[in-house]
Structure formats: C-alpha cells, structure tokens
C-alpha cells in the first residue's frame, strides 16, 4: 500500500512539553483522525508535518520526501486548514484566491470557482466579514483548488455548528473518492472520527498511544462495568483507566478474552468502546 | 520571488496614491516634501508586515510552498521596489509641483537631483536594513520596539563619533583648493552606495537566519 505520510521517531522538546518518539503512517487515499485531549500535542504534530516548527529528532516523510529537505516540493502537494484560518482579511475572497494562486503550479481556477459555488462562498465579500464556518470553508477551498494530495486539517470542526460540521466532514469524504488524496485531521470531537476516519491515531501527553485502522481499534477496546466487589488487584492488571464510583467501576480493556476468563459468569457488562470511552479512560 | 512581490503590492497598492496626494500640501516646503516622501515610503515598507501582524497570517504565509529564505528575500525585494516606486512618485511630484504649482517652495528643484535621490535611497535603505532583521527575529510589535531602540542607539553612537572627530580635528582647516570637488562628490556618492549595499546584503543574510529559526 502506498504511503502518503510517514513519521518515524519524531521528537520535539519545549520547556514545559515534549513530543517523544512519534511514529505512524497514513496510506494513500485514506482519512486519518488524530485524537487526543487538549494539550496532547496534536497541533504541534501538525506544525511539524508542515515544517512550521523544527523537529528535534526523527523523520517526517510526505510522498516519500523529507518535509524539511524538500520543503517546497512537499508543501505544493499539501493543503492546510487551520482551526482558526487566517488570511489577509481586508481582501475579498476572490482577491485572496488570486494572491494564493501563483504559488501553486497546479492551481485550478475553475475548480476554485466550482468549490466556491458548492461551499456558497461570497466571492466579493472581504474575508474579515466571513463567519467562522465560512472561513473554514474558504481555507478548504484554497487547499483543494491546487489539487492537494494530502490535506492536513488542524481541528477543522472545532467551534462549528453541527450542520456545518457534517457538511465539512462530507466534503472530506468526497475528497478521498479519487483514491489519490489523503486526509489527516486532528480533533477532540470523537463523533467526527466515527463518521469519516479510516485510521485513528491517539496522542496523549506527547506520545502516541495507538495508531491503527478504526475497525481494529473498535474491536480491540471494550468497556467493562461491574460492581465494586469484583475489582480485585488481578482484574485491575487487565484494565486501564479504572473509575470507581458508589455503585461500581467502569474501565477499559484491550484484552476482552482475559477479562471474560477472569470474571467467568460474574455479573459484569462488557461492551464495545466508543472513541470517547477510549479518550476518557486513557487520558 | 516575483510572486511574493506581486502579492505584496496587491496587498498595499493604496499607499502609492497617498504619496501623490500628500505631495501637494507638503510641496510648500522642500524639506517637508522630502520628509513626507520618506515617511510614506516607510509606511509602504512596513505596511505588508503590519497587515500580516494584524491579521496573524504568518502561519498562512509560511504554509505556502515557498522557502523561508525566498520569503525573506521577497520581502527585501518588495521593500526596495517600494523605495524605488516612492522615489519615482516623489521625484515626479516634486518636479511637477516646482514648475506648475505657484505655492511650491522655490528650493524644491534642488531636491530633484541625483544627490536628492541618493539621500532618499540611502535613508530608506538604512531603515529597511535595520527594520527587517528586527521584524524577522521578533515579529512586528517587539521588532518595531527593538528597531526604535536600535535607531536611537545608532544615532547616539554617530553623534558621539561626530563629536570625537570634531574634537580631534577641530583646529585643522582642510585645504580644499587642491581637491576636485566634482570628483570628490562622485566618489562620496559611490562610497555611500557601496556602504549601504553592503549593509543591505548583511541585513538580508541576517534576516534569513533569523526567520529560519522562528517557529509558528
């Protein structure tokens, strides 16, 4: 399988935070969701991929090329949408497109206009008068109009109303239909992943906890609920993120068979974990 | 780099009109017209960084397929083209006003000369060469403050040097009878241009280094 993006042992140190040994890969033609709580390192990771911050170690390859050594070639094939997109706000949508277009050899003006119609972008309106959702759509149109092969979106759905959010996610699904475009988007809204992601990478405190196909993850993790008397030390060893309440415990496990063997016919509930369960229990 | 230049002028094309409009009231005093010309050129040079700072577009610009070095050199190119355009507008308006505008300062035509143009370019090139490294190192807000402190410090150093030279040579009366003044003037122009070009080149190299170290 062709790989669009590959990170190998990437690290970045700040005074109060560090990313350590980040490795994952995104196959061509798929959508990967990068999830994690606020401050987990998602935005730093996105910036590293775009070479907006310098990495301290490791390797980041996009289309088989190092994003630092082949910066221009790589960036010309990447489309970037930030959580709060910034533009020259005093320019109209149309003029902004004309400012961005010359930087991309593959810019397709007809495609931009088609996307503008589809996204209902007001071409004559100055950027500062656009709503938060419309700005995100404009950023997406600018990213798509140069026929980007990798879309990198940093929390694109954050702060959008549900209608806009669904529309945006549907656009992402439409993007990968050609089989050549891949999407990496960071989010802490787990329902976005359920809707569009093929792969999920979970980052927490600067470390990757897992990165695998969505279906595998959903098969792997389960939520275990039971009475407090069942929570022995032996059982605890099979569980993660145990939360004990007045009426019982809730925890996550990635070894359902072992838990079943251990608990036998005892009254427990074992159910498939949602991404939210995984995020909450692994935080 | 040309793309960056075109982008910059698409973003701030309004400033050149200001030159022409401001030239008329300022033309009553030749020096005022010079100062207005220089000030508006500085506005033109600072306008794009100012807009980028105001709209926080650094991340957007740095995500375009352009190297950091090209971004910096593009900004220098834009600045020098801005200076050249301002010079053309200023010289043009000064020349026109000195002939056509009855209220214009009679000394105005003196500024419309090679020396006037060299003085204009030297001042603005120094401003660009000092301002842009501060901007690329610290961003606009902090960079402008560092630039202002730097200019004041430089002014102090130059004033001090002038005082020392005067104190040392105070009683020496130069004998200018043997000097070909035209040749000396030409030489002085070349020396000024060479010094300023060297400063601008050093400044650009420093800015590239600073900008490569910045993270967005």
């Amino acid at each position: 399988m062709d790989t669009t993006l590959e990170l190998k042992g990437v690290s970045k140190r700040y005074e109060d935070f560090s990313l350590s040994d980040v490795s994952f890969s995104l196959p061509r033609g798929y959508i990967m969701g990068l999830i994690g709580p606020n401050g987990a390192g998602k935005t730093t990771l996105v910036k590293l991929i775009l070479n907006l911050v310098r990495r301290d170690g490791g390797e980041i390859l996009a289309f088989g090329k190092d994003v630092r050594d082949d910066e221009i070639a790589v960036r010309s094939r990447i489309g970037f949408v930030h959580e709060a997109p910034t533009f020259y706000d005093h320019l109209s949508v149309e003029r902004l497109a004309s400012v961005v277009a010359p930087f991309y050899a593959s810019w397709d003006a007809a495609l931009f206009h088609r996307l503008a119609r589809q996204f209902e972008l007001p071409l004559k309106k100055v950027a500062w008068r656009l709503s938060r959702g419309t700005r995100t759509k404009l950023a997406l149109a600018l990213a798509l109009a140069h026929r980007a092969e990798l879309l990198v979106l940093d929390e694109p759905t954050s702060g959008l109303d549900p209608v806009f959010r669904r529309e945006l996610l549907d656009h992402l699904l439409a993007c990968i239909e050609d089989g050549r475009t891949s999407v990496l988007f960071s989010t802490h809204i787990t329902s976005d992943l359920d809707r569009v992601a093929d792969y999920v990478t979970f980052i927490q405190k600067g470390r990757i906890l897992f990165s695998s196909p969505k279906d595998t993850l959903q098969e792997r993790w389960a939520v275990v609920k039971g009475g407090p008397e069942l929570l022995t030390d032996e059982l605890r060893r099979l569980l993660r993120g145990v939360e004990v309440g007045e009426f019982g415990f809730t925890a996550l496990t990635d070894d359902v068979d072992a838990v079943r063997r251990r608990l036998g016919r005892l009254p427990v509930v074992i159910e498939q974990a949602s991404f939210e369960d995984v995020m909450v229990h692994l935080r | 780099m040309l793309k960056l230049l075109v982008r910059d002028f698409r973003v701030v094309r309004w400033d050149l009109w200001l030159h022409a409009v401001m030239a008329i009231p300022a033309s009553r005093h030749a020096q005022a017209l010079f100062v207005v010309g220089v000030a508006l050129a500085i506005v033109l040079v600072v306008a794009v960084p100012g807009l980028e700072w105001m709209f926080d577009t650094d991340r957007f610009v740095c995500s375009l397929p352009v190297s950091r070095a090209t971004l910096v050199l593009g900004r220098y190119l834009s600045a020098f083209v801005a200076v050249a355009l301002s010079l053309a507008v200023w010289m043009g308006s000064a020349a026109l006003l000195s002939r056509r505008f009855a209220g214009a300062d009679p000394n105005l035509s003196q500024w419309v000369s090679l020396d006037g143009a060299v003085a204009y370019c030297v001042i603005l090139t120094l401003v660009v060469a000092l301002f842009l490294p501060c901007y690329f190192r610290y961003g606009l807000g902090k960079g402008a403050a560092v630039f202002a402190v730097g200019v004041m410090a430089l002014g102090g150093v130059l004033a001090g040097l002038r005082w020392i030279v005067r104190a040392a040579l105070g009683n020496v009366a130069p004998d200018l009878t043997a000097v070909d003044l035209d040749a000396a003037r030409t030489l002085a122009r070349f020396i000024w241009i060479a010094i300023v070009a060297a400063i601008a080149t050093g400044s650009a190299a420093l800015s590239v280094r600073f900008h490569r170290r910045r993270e967005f």
Side-chain angles (χ1 to χ4, degrees), chain A residues 12 14 47 51-54 71-72 75-76 80 82 86-90 98-100 102-104, chain B residues 3-4 7 10-11 51-52 55-57 59-68 212-213 215-216:
Chain A
K12 171 73 186 169
Y14 291 108
K47 286 179 180 178
N51 204 27
L52 294 175
V53 297
R54 292 184 309 279
E71 191 177 27
I72 301 169
R75 278 220 203 109
S76 61
F80 174 48
H82 186 250
T86 52
F87 309 106
Y88 295 104
D89 275 1
H90 64 305
S98 74
V99 166
V100 173
F103 290 96
Y104 295 97
Chain B
K3 294 168 197 166
L4 291 162
R7 176 207 60 176
R10 276 187 172 154
V11 169
L51 286 169
E52 287 181 349
F55 298 132
D56 193 20
T57 57
R59 204 180 297 124
F60 168 67
V61 172
C62 286
S63 66
L64 294 170
V66 187
S67 72
R68 296 273 181 108
R212 277 192 180 138
R213 275 164 38 185
E215 299 191 328
F216 298 98

Side-chain angles (χ1 to χ4, degrees), chain A residues 171-220:
Chain A
H171 284 308
L172 294 186
L173 282 174
C175 287
I176 60 160
E177 272 172 9
D178 60 4
R180 63 185 273 281
T181 308
S182 311
V183 178
L184 173 75
F185 77 104
S186 72
T187 185
H188 55 261
I189 304 170
T190 51
S191 60
D192 292 351
L193 301 178
D194 285 321
R195 189 162 178 80
V196 296
D198 301 302
Y199 287 80
V200 174
T201 296
F202 187 98
I203 184 168
Q204 189 198 40
K205 292 177 187 163
R207 287 182 176 277
I208 300 292
L209 291 190
F210 54 76
S211 180
S212 37
K214 183 173 72 178
D215 302 337
T216 318
L217 274 174
Q218 284 174 329
E219 284 162 15
R220 179 181 161 193

Side-chain angles (χ1 to χ4, degrees), chain A residues 93 112 115-123 130 134 137-138 141:
Chain A
V93 169
F112 177 78
L115 289 165
R117 268 198 307 279
Q118 197 182 337
F119 295 170
E120 294 173 355
L121 294 174
L123 290 175
L130 301 177
T134 313
K137 282 181 179 176
L138 170 59

Side-chain angles (χ1 to χ4, degrees), chain B residues 73-94:
Chain B
L73 297 176
R75 180 54 39 81
Y76 272 81
L77 179 67
S78 297
F80 291 126
V81 171
V83 170
L85 280 174
S86 309
L87 176 66
V89 173
W90 172 69
M91 293 280 260
S93 44

